[in-house]
Amino acid sequence: MAASKFKIALVQLFVTANKSENLARASKLISQAAGGGANLVALPECFNSPYGTKYFPEYAEKIPGESTNMLAKAAKDNKVFLVGGSIPEEDGGKLYNTSTVFNPEGELIAKFRKVHLFDIDVPGKIRFQESETLSPGSGLVTFDTPYCKVGLAICYDIRFPELAQIYTRRGCKLLLYPGAFNMTTGPAHWELLQRGRALDNQLYVGTISPARDEKASYVAWGHSTLVNPWGEVVAKAGHEEEIVYSDVDLSYVDEVRSSIPTSNQRRADIYKLQDMSQN
Ligand SMILES: NC(=O)CCC(=O)C(=O)O
């Protein structure tokens, strides 16, 4: 029988422009998280490089490559499920924002390329166009653990509720979003979006941000968070480097879903959600 509780660690890594330093720090914090009892450890979006369109080509790697080799080893050495945040990936002359997941044997069990690119223009505040250098992924990705099925997406993807609904339909009880919101949208939307996805779908939602670096060209909001199926924040980081731990109680997902059974109350006669993804 599947365990109904497990411990998650959200590693809010301080990311610099030095890739080797980022990999070494990430590896150290993964070991620390495992030592703290985590069964599943997750890193932030762009954990190996600064977040910015000009950096993606410079730091992009093949998969497997230097960064994912480190992740595979860290997962195996520490016997944890490891969600490797994301890295800029190069494949076939295109660049992607890609998340990889490793099991406790160090095997790659999932690879997700950010589906919705972060292209926004908030006048006088922030303009960011990921599509200047990145291409979007074209598939949705879940992975199995002995605890539950987990749905994976990256940052801006959290703004698209259909994606979270499809993962829920596929049986996920936890959604993870490595992400790097900023000082404009972070305070306004970061927690609200997570609580919205968690409440709509009655599951756990975890987000993992880099720590805030005021000197970086893109200043991340921080505040890596875990929200429960009732829509409550159960663990939340500040903005500095830290590891946030929390228990994920899967029986609570079942309890909330049976108390307020929205998934059985949909009106398929008047609207429907269609899963077009091949994976
Ligand atoms: N890295 C991202 O996708 C940032 C998304 C973001 O900040 C938002 O407001 O959405």
Side-chain angles (χ1 to χ4, degrees):
M1 207 175 107
S4 80
K5 261 193 192 170
F6 66 99
K7 193 181 259 198
I8 190 167
L10 313 175
V11 176
Q12 185 163 287
L13 182 73
F14 188 88
V15 176
T16 70
N18 183 328
K19 189 194 273 192
S20 322
E21 206 172 276
N22 295 332
L23 297 186
R25 282 182 87 70
S27 170
K28 193 178 123 217
L29 290 177
I30 294 163
S31 299
Q32 198 175 311
N39 310 101
L40 190 159
V41 179
L43 299 177
E45 182 177 28
C46 269
F47 83 91
N48 69 349
S49 56
Y51 182 71
T53 49
K54 71 173 178 197
Y55 299 112
F56 299 140
E58 190 186 331
Y59 287 78
E61 287 180 29
K62 299 269 187 213
I63 295 176
E66 185 187 3
S67 299
T68 55
N69 288 344
M70 180 283 285
L71 295 173
K73 180 170 178 343
K76 187 172 178 186
D77 289 352
N78 295 290
K79 298 184 176 38
V80 289
F81 281 89
L82 178 59
V83 175
S86 79
I87 64 167
E89 178 200 8
E90 191 277 316
D91 186 30
K94 290 186 173 175
L95 303 180
Y96 302 93
N97 188 340
T98 304
S99 184
T100 51
V101 182
F102 295 85
N103 67 15
E105 287 72 49
E107 296 158 344
L108 178 70
I109 55 167
K111 184 170 118 170
F112 173 83
R113 289 172 171 162
K114 188 174 191 174
V115 166
H116 304 95
L117 294 184
F118 178 45
D119 285 357
I120 66 162
D121 190 352
V122 184
K125 300 277 189 193
I126 177 172
R127 181 176 186 278
F128 198 99
Q129 302 288 309
E130 256 187 340
S131 63
E132 283 168 359
T133 50
L134 297 186
S135 298
S138 54
L140 303 187
V141 172
T142 64
F143 63 93
D144 290 311
T145 70
Y147 321 109
C148 67
K149 192 182 278 295
V150 182
L152 187 60
I154 300 175
C155 204
Y156 196 57
D157 287 325
I158 200 171
R159 289 188 180 270
F160 299 86
E162 298 87 343
L163 189 155
Q165 285 168 27
I166 286 169
Y167 282 160
T168 308
R169 291 264 178 99
R170 290 186 183 188
C172 295
K173 293 188 172 175
L174 167 67
L175 304 182
L176 289 176
Y177 296 91
F181 270 43
N182 52 78
M183 302 302 286
T184 298
T185 61
H189 301 152
W190 173 250
E191 186 181 304
L192 185 61
L193 284 163
Q194 295 166 56
R195 296 184 67 196
R197 296 298 81 84
L199 186 60
D200 282 351
N201 296 290
Q202 302 176 310
L203 43 55
Y204 284 89
V205 172
T207 54
I208 318 93
S209 171
R212 189 179 304 165
D213 177 0
E214 306 279 1
K215 297 195 194 79
S217 54
Y218 181 95
V219 182
W221 174 237
H223 298 295
S224 303
T225 305
L226 188 77
V227 179
N228 73 14
W230 193 253
E232 294 165 325
V233 172
V234 288
K236 186 171 187 174
H239 60 76
E240 292 178 351
E241 183 169 271
E242 70 175 283
I243 303 176
V244 174
Y245 297 92
S246 183
D247 284 334
V248 175
D249 180 359
L250 300 166
S251 64
Y252 191 48
V253 175
D254 300 334
E255 189 184 316
V256 170
R257 288 180 178 178
S258 79
S259 317
I260 305 181
T262 50
S263 68
N264 306 325
Q265 295 167 332
R266 295 232 155 73
R267 290 290 306 274
D269 54 328
I270 50 177
Y271 54 80
K272 91 172 174 203
L273 178 72
Q274 206 172 346
D275 183 350
M276 313 280 288
S277 168
Q278 298 306 304
N279 55 0

